[in-house]
Each structure stands twice: as C-alpha cells, then as structure tokens.
Amino acid sequence: MAVTRSSSSGKSRRRSKSPSRPRSSASQKTKKGPSTNGSAAVNAKHMAPLPTSPSKSKAARIAPPSKTTKGAVASLFLITLLTFPTSSSSLTLQVFFYGWLTCLSTGLGVLPLVLLGDLDDYWLGLSNAVASGMMMSASYSLCEEGWTSGEDGTGGLRTVLGIGIGLAFIYITKSFLDAHESLKLEGLPDGADARRLLLIVFVMTLHSFSEGVGIGVSFGGPNGPKLGKFISASLAVHNVPEGLAVAVAMLGKGFSLLVIGLWCVLTSLPQPLMAVPSFLFVETFLPILPVGLGFAGGAMAFVAVGELFFESLEAVKDARAVCAVVFVSG
C-alpha cells in the first residue's frame, strides 16, 4: 500500500510539473480552427479610413506669407508713412492721404473672418448671400446718390445712362472672361472660380472710382477740408462692409486671410488715385459724377444678382433661407 501511495504521489508530482493545458474549449477551438479573427482584423485594417489631413482651405489660411505678400504689406506701411500730412503739408497731399485711409479701411472687412473656421458648402453659400445683399444695398445707395446729385435737374437722367452703360460693360466683360476658360488665378482650383472672383473684384474696383471722385469734389467745395474729412470718414466706415463682401466671396477659395485683406484694399485703390485729379479739376469731374455713380451701381447689381445670388442658391438649395439672408444683410 505504501508503494502504491508513493507511485501515486510521484505521478501526481509528475503531473504537476507538466505544462498546464488550457481549460477553455473556446480557446482550443480558436487555436485549432481557422484564423477568421485574424483575417477580419486585416480586412478591417484595410477598410478603415485613413487619417484625414487638414483641408486645403485651412492650410491656406495658416500658410506663411510669400515674398510678394510681405512686399505688398510693407508697401502699404511705407505709403502711409510717407504721405502722412503735417502742418506744412499741401491740401493736395491731404486729399490723397484721406483717400488712402478710406482705401486701407476696406481691408478691415476681413477681420470677422478671423473668428470663423473652415466652412462647408452650405455656410459658404450663405456667405455669398451676405455679400450679395451688401452689394445690392451699395448699388441702391450709389444710384440714389447719383439721382439726387446735380443742380440742373439732370442727375437722374445721367444716372440712368450710367446704369445702362455699367450693365452693358459688365455683360461684355463677363462674356470675355467666359470665352477664356483657361484663365486662372494662383491658388484657385479651376478657371470658373477665377473668372467669378475677377468679375467681383473688377466691379468693386470700378465703383471705387466714383467714390474717389466724391472725395476729391468734397475737398474742392466751398467748405474745403472740413467737408472733405467728414466725407472721407464716412466712406472709410462704408468701406468696411464692402471689404467684407469681397472677403466672403473669396472665402474657401484657397486664399489666406492676409491675401484676402490685400485684395480688399486693392479694390479701393482708385479712391486716393481719383481723389487728387477730381480735387484739382473739380469743375470738370462734377458733371460726370452721376454717370459714374450709375455706372458703378449698375455693374454692382449685375454681379450681386447674376453671380453671387444664384451661386448661393446653388450651394444652399433653400431659396427662402437665401432670400432672408440677402434681405437682412442688405
């Protein structure tokens, strides 16, 4: 009996030294069966979406400025410094400087976009509706100012003439741009966006000619610098939402915010350039002012309705929402 117990204990000791076997039948099936979980993991690995990189528009917004952009910003500071009037400055230099300030104020329209992130097509469409409403409002203001100007009662007729010329001019310009489909701007994905932006920038630049004439004429009037400074300050405030209209039209097109701000300033560059000759030759420019205001108003209305409004409808796909935004922003 003792020997039997000894052998039994030896067997038990030998069993305890042997490697432990898995007790779960499920784990044994996993080892012996086909490796379905492994293949599923491989398939899941291939089917999983790749990590998304930042969007092109977001990368463009935070991209470092190029040498051209830095040079443009430096030029703005340099012109401001060199033309800053002193007590001994001539009135002509003051006219240019105040026109220059109204030009720079247009760039402030980009500031609200600093608070916005990347927008999808829906919100970009609503942004175009905002720009459309602002441009419609500006168009009405220009035409109304031209209609009421002129002491001989012909301001309305000359304004209507300017509106017709402006509509015809923009239609011809748009036809020319559409005929050149290869036209592109740096950073834009295709020629269609480039042509649309060129048309918007072109129209906003055209209407700045009449505003520049208004600055020069106000300085040349009987009240002189006092009225001219008041008109310049009013235009500077007025230019901020106009700059915003240009900025939202360029939003999401691959431009950085700094470049958008420079484009906004560029659209108002005719203001200081036209202020000086209209001040020096006020009697010559005064009769054609209603024509210029009507021209700018008609061209702006064409772009606001024919381009921005319908582009907004295409992106938002909700006519009531688009019309409401246009009404509120206008």
Side-chain angles (χ1 to χ4, degrees), residues 9-245:
S9 62
K11 290 180 180 180
S12 63
R13 282 197 299 268
R14 285 195 298 270
R15 289 176 181 174
S16 63
K17 289 181 181 181
S18 62
S20 60
R21 296 178 181 177
R23 296 180 180 179
S24 174
S25 60
S27 61
Q28 292 178 357
K29 291 180 180 179
T30 303
K31 285 186 178 182
K32 293 181 181 181
S35 179
T36 56
N37 293 337
S39 60
V42 173
N43 293 335
K45 181 179 179 181
H46 287 288
M47 294 175 62
L50 295 175
T52 56
S53 59
S55 63
K56 181 181 179 181
S57 59
K58 183 176 181 180
R61 288 163 63 94
I62 61 177
S66 62
K67 292 183 179 180
T68 304
T69 304
K70 292 179 181 179
V73 174
S75 299
L76 298 183
F77 281 104
L78 184 61
I79 293 174
T80 305
L81 181 62
L82 293 178
T83 60
F84 189 84
T86 61
S87 57
S88 59
S89 299
S90 64
L91 187 56
T92 303
L93 181 61
Q94 294 183 39
V95 171
F96 177 86
F97 179 76
Y98 285 106
W100 178 249
L101 288 184
T102 63
C103 173
L104 294 180
S105 67
T106 314
L108 298 178
V110 78
L111 293 182
L113 303 185
V114 177
L115 304 177
L116 299 177
D118 292 332
L119 304 179
D120 55 19
D121 291 340
Y122 179 84
W123 291 107
L124 286 176
L126 290 183
S127 298
N128 284 329
V130 172
S132 177
M134 288 181 174
M135 292 181 70
M136 289 181 188
S137 177
S139 174
Y140 174 80
S141 299
L142 290 171
C143 295
E144 183 184 25
E145 183 179 353
W147 189 275
T148 57
S149 63
E151 299 179 355
D152 55 356
T154 61
L157 180 61
R158 284 178 284 176
T159 302
V160 172
L161 176 63
I163 292 174
I165 297 174
L167 290 173
F169 182 80
I170 292 301
Y171 178 79
I172 295 173
T173 303
K174 184 179 183 300
S175 300
F176 173 80
L177 293 176
D178 290 339
H180 295 75
E181 297 182 356
S182 59
L183 180 62
K184 288 186 178 182
L185 288 178
E186 183 180 356
L188 291 182
D190 53 51
D193 283 339
R195 294 192 300 274
R196 183 178 295 111
L197 284 182
L198 276 179
L199 195 63
I200 294 171
V201 171
F202 185 56
V203 167
M204 298 300 287
T205 304
L206 281 178
H207 105 280
S208 294
F209 278 92
S210 59
E211 292 184 345
V213 173
I215 294 174
V217 169
S218 63
F219 271 96
N223 295 324
K226 185 176 180 179
L227 178 61
K229 292 178 181 178
F230 174 76
I231 296 297
S232 299
S234 302
L235 279 176
V237 175
H238 169 75
N239 282 352
V240 176
E242 290 186 355
L244 178 61

Side-chain angles (χ1 to χ4, degrees), residues 121 125 196 308-318 322:
D121 291 340
R196 183 178 295 111
L308 292 175
F309 180 75
F310 287 105
E311 182 181 357
S312 178
L313 285 177
E314 182 180 354
V316 177
K317 296 179 176 59
D318 188 345
V322 172

